[in-house]
Amino acid sequence: MVFHFYADENYKNNVASNVHLNCLKEYAHIFNAIIVVLSVPDISNKQLLLNAKCDIAAALNDCENVTIKVKQNTPYYEALTLKEEVIDKFDSFDGLVFFGHSKGYSNVLNAYFKTDNILQWIEGMYYLNLNFIDEIVYKFTSNGPTCRTYGAFAMKSRTESSVEIGSAYAGTFFWLNPAKILNDIDVYGDADNTIQEVVKFADRGYAEEF
């Protein structure tokens, strides 16, 4: 798993952040390796880094292979983590990869949204994407050469030019098959479009910039 975790000075009091930590603790055991990119607004804040690293490590205690990387937050948020830690490193993975991020952190601070709905949405993304591993693996193996990605919440893209179902995964929680994607690049020789197709699953419209 590769996970983008945002934390600022108030992350311990953010209900969405707490739900994410609880869910990560619940599902950490299903992964043989986890990479967490800890994204912070001020990388020089040593106390924040220490606290967040400790909380993340505690949540992922059931996974024996955990790496926590610290990065300065950018306007690209989790899309940049997807690009740098997954797409740029496809050839380093020897199996399926799950990507997620601390969705809802800012939404629970916005009075326009109902907090209970956001928390249910977060828990639902974990449950539907991680609670049925055998079925998910079967989807990849049974679909054979056609299956690059899978997510519980396939949706229409927000851009007017792309309206295909599955052109984005709501919440940016989804599985990838790096071997299949690399094979497609080898076969079709269209690396740029293939990579952009995967990056756009971050649903932030940054594919053309990567």
Side-chain angles (χ1 to χ4, degrees):
M1 173 171 71
V2 175
F3 196 90
H4 176 96
F5 188 92
Y6 175 77
D8 60 19
E9 288 279 7
N10 298 312
Y11 84 92
K12 285 180 175 289
N13 298 317
N14 186 290
V15 289
S17 183
N18 289 326
V19 168
H20 279 290
L21 287 171
N22 289 336
C23 288
L24 288 171
K25 182 176 181 64
E26 180 177 354
Y27 292 104
H29 70 279
I30 70 176
F31 298 102
N32 57 17
I34 298 175
I35 296 173
V36 176
V37 172
L38 172 57
S39 178
V40 295
D42 181 6
I43 204 168
S44 67
N45 189 334
K46 304 303 182 183
Q47 190 60 53
L48 171 60
L49 297 182
L50 177 61
N51 292 342
K53 282 183 177 180
C54 288
D55 287 338
I56 293 169
L60 302 178
N61 187 54
D62 287 339
C63 180
E64 296 182 355
N65 187 359
V66 176
T67 301
I68 301 176
K69 301 182 179 183
V70 176
K71 294 190 177 182
Q72 184 78 33
N73 190 44
T74 76
Y76 295 118
Y77 304 104
E78 75 279 359
L80 185 59
T81 295
L82 173 62
K83 195 268 182 183
E84 292 183 342
E85 297 297 329
V86 180
I87 293 171
D88 287 351
K89 300 178 180 179
F90 270 157
D91 56 0
S92 68
F93 297 109
D94 60 1
L96 302 178
V97 179
F98 178 75
F99 182 83
H101 74 110
S102 46
K103 178 72 174 179
Y105 191 98
S106 60
N107 296 124
V108 296
L109 304 176
N110 188 333
Y112 176 80
F113 299 104
K114 292 184 178 180
T115 299
D116 288 346
N117 291 347
I118 296 171
L119 301 184
Q120 289 175 3
W121 169 247
I122 294 171
E123 292 174 341
M125 287 191 295
Y126 281 97
Y127 181 79
L128 293 174
N129 281 295
L130 300 180
N131 205 55
F132 307 99
I133 295 301
D134 291 343
E135 289 87 341
I136 290 170
V137 172
Y138 177 75
K139 287 180 183 296
F140 278 97
T141 56
S142 65
N143 288 331
T146 66
C147 196
R148 293 178 178 175
T149 61
Y150 167 78
F153 295 105
M155 58 179 283
K156 291 183 178 181
S157 171
R158 291 178 180 175
T159 63
E160 294 181 0
S161 60
S162 179
V163 294
E164 295 181 17
I165 295 294
S167 60
Y169 291 112
T172 323
F173 273 58
F174 68 107
W175 290 86
L176 303 94
N177 185 350
K180 166 58 183 168
I181 295 169
L182 288 176
N183 181 71
D184 285 354
I185 291 173
D186 288 340
V187 171
Y188 301 111
D190 193 8
D192 289 342
N193 285 337
T194 301
I195 295 301
Q196 286 185 3
E197 181 177 326
V198 177
V199 174
K200 74 181 180 182
F201 291 133
D203 198 30
R204 289 191 182 275
Y206 297 147
E208 70 280 359
E209 299 187 37
F210 292 145

